[in-house]
Amino acid sequence: MPVNFHAPNPQDLLPVPGVRVGVAEAGIRKANRKDLTVFLLDEGSVVGAVFTRNRYAAAPVQVCREHLSAGAEIRALVVNTGNANAGTGEPGLQHARQTASALALALGVRHEQVLPFSTGVIMEPLPMDRLMAGLPAALADAASPEGSSGAQWLKAAEGIMTTDTLPKAISRQVKLGGVTVSISGIAKGAGMIRPNMATMLGYVATDAVIDRALMNTLAQVLADRSFNRVTVDGDTSTNDSFVLMSTGQAKHEPVRSLDSIDGQALLAALTEVAQHLAHALVRDGEGATKFITVRVEGGQTRDECLKVAYAVAHSPLVKTAFFASDPNLGRILAAVGYAGIDDLDASLIELHLGDVHVVKSGGRNPDYQEADGQRVMKADEILVRIGLGRGACQETVWTCDFSHDYVTINADYRS
């Protein structure tokens, strides 16, 4: 079961003026499940995006990059689940382009104005006959009165799920220049989660007026504060994508800088949405029973803090100890030691587990009692705080434990 995470209430989700959402059952991999989603954007919308750093990027990621680099005004997104269209060579690229072209033709826009996305099993051909047959139903759903409703975002969250056990969606509002703007977002992902991005798809839309030149920077900042700070199993997927959409339909002065008053307010609200979705990925991590925050303090740079945090968060030995509630905390010190900080002074290391001071000046705190460590380990939300004693920088990463169910889920993934 997800760790302190529940499916969102559709009544809590907000429509975003200028965005219509449609969802259909195309039978791409399994019958009787939502697996094809479209986002339709009104004219004048702007988009920013961040994609996987996996060199084996899936065909739709490659096509999205092509379309965005062409500078086209994006008018639609199409997302299928059940098949990643990755490791599919030239035919996969043709299928991704065919998908974009089919939706573009139906909407009366150019093919480069459509971004295609896929998620699911890698190295299997995308069943284009089923996908194409499902597009009219998705478009009809978007054109219905419900297509512009907040509840439609929950349907979309369900429509992009793979091994997720619950849909992930959230809405927020913020005032910019005295005008209320809306933000809604969804994400999927539960395994193959590692920064750069995670095995995830994330879509956030707002009616705020944002300068086109700011969108990619804003998307990257949001990713670095959220999706690039979570890890479930250390695997970076081929299809990771995060897209920020702005329809610009709110009546306020354009946000041209994140340093302005409105820029800071918008960034704070968008960060809250992105972090909620990123945390949800970890809370719903495959087989997860615990949500773990790894905070590294006292680094010389943010990068070295992240190296240490990820070393701890990725360690199977650390993660299985958390699952067992076993305060075998030397595993954390070992991960700190191999994180790649060559001039690290081990005698300065401090380690706190929740409110328990475990390591002092590089060694076991004389006051530490294993019963105290086990008390913290038994909780379903745990803070690991590591002090490097080298500087003033700090960074935080969120992860989960490894359970028996993680192996079971991934052993049975294709069945």
Side-chain angles (χ1 to χ4, degrees):
M1 291 294 292
V3 182
N4 297 330
F5 172 66
H6 304 282
N9 186 331
Q11 296 179 344
D12 294 335
L13 300 177
L14 301 170
V16 176
V19 180
R20 287 170 292 145
V21 183
V23 184
E25 296 180 2
I28 290 172
R29 183 166 183 83
K30 296 180 180 179
N32 303 315
R33 65 150 295 171
K34 304 178 186 74
D35 58 4
L36 187 61
T37 302
V38 295
F39 295 89
L40 308 183
L41 307 179
D42 282 0
E43 191 173 357
S45 298
V46 292
V47 168
V50 179
F51 297 99
T52 182
R53 294 181 187 174
N54 192 316
R55 298 299 296 173
Y56 218 103
V61 169
Q62 296 179 56
V63 172
C64 282
R65 285 172 171 158
E66 291 173 1
H67 290 186
L68 289 168
S69 65
E73 179 184 300
I74 302 303
R75 295 294 305 279
L77 286 62
V78 54
V79 191
N80 76 267
T81 188
N83 185 300
N85 192 13
T88 47
E90 184 60 31
L93 286 169
Q94 293 177 5
H95 289 161
R97 293 182 180 124
Q98 183 182 351
T99 301
S101 294
L103 182 54
L105 181 62
L107 297 174
V109 300
R110 303 190 310 276
H111 74 277
E112 63 267 24
Q113 292 181 277
V114 177
L115 301 180
F117 302 86
S118 298
T119 183
V121 177
I122 295 172
M123 218 173 69
E124 291 188 5
L126 188 62
M128 292 302 294
D129 55 342
R130 282 170 266 171
L131 191 154
M132 292 297 176
L135 272 178
L139 286 169
D141 192 44
S144 71
E146 290 76 22
S148 57
S149 69
Q152 199 77 347
W153 284 83
L154 180 58
K155 285 178 61 178
E158 294 168 345
I160 64 173
M161 291 168 58
T162 49
T163 59
D164 308 64
T165 67
L166 291 174
K168 301 161 181 69
I170 182 176
S171 293
R172 289 291 184 267
Q173 289 186 318
V174 62
K175 282 190 177 294
L176 302 180
V179 176
T180 299
V181 303
S182 297
I183 303 167
S184 285
I186 63 172
K188 62 78 52 180
M192 282 187 83
I193 297 286
R194 179 187 171 159
N196 299 326
M197 308 262 303
T199 180
M200 55 144 287
L201 299 179
Y203 304 99
V204 174
T206 177
D207 60 338
V209 187
I210 307 173
D211 189 280
R212 181 185 298 272
L214 188 60
M215 288 298 288
N216 279 330
T217 297
L218 182 52
Q220 185 66 65
V221 169
L222 291 173
D224 285 343
R225 291 185 173 193
S226 57
F227 300 114
N228 279 343
R229 294 293 180 269
V230 297
T231 177
V232 168
D233 49 21
D235 272 338
T236 299
S237 171
T238 54
N239 293 65
D240 308 335
S241 306
F242 168 57
V243 181
L244 177 65
M245 300 166 270
S246 167
T247 65
Q249 296 200 3
K251 304 299 182 183
H252 63 84
E253 288 299 310
V255 175
R256 304 187 189 279
S257 168
L258 297 182
D259 294 327
S260 66
I261 293 175
D262 280 353
Q264 287 291 300
L266 177 63
L267 179 59
L270 287 170
T271 298
E272 181 183 357
V273 167
Q275 285 188 350
H276 173 93
L277 295 171
H279 289 183
L281 304 185
V282 174
R283 293 182 184 279
D284 194 26
E286 291 171 344
T289 70
K290 295 177 181 177
F291 179 83
I292 303 161
T293 299
V294 182
R295 182 179 303 152
V296 178
E297 305 167 345
Q300 290 181 351
T301 65
R302 292 177 58 202
D303 283 347
E304 71 177 26
C305 290
L306 286 172
K307 279 186 179 180
V308 172
Y310 289 140
V312 173
H314 289 156
S315 168
L317 290 178
V318 171
K319 292 159 79 71
T320 50
F322 276 110
F323 171 65
S325 299
D326 175 18
N328 190 354
L329 302 177
R331 294 179 175 183
I332 295 178
L333 293 185
V336 172
Y338 66 61
I341 312 302
D342 292 336
D343 58 345
L344 183 69
D345 185 347
S347 69
L348 300 178
I349 300 298
E350 302 282 326
L351 171 62
H352 287 78
L353 190 66
D355 61 352
V356 179
H357 194 173
V358 178
V359 172
K360 185 176 182 180
S361 301
R364 179 175 175 139
N365 181 1
D367 297 328
Y368 171 67
Q369 299 293 322
E370 184 157 315
D372 294 330
Q374 191 165 53
R375 168 179 57 80
V376 177
M377 294 281 275
K378 286 181 177 179
D380 51 15
E381 302 215 15
I382 302 168
L383 170 63
V384 177
R385 188 157 56 91
I386 300 161
L388 301 182
R390 293 165 53 83
C393 293
Q394 69 175 40
E395 274 292 350
T396 300
V397 167
W398 298 282
T399 190
C400 60
D401 58 338
F402 265 165
S403 71
H404 304 295
D405 286 344
Y406 177 85
V407 177
T408 300
I409 290 166
N410 282 282
D412 295 339
Y413 181 61
R414 295 207 310 162
S415 58

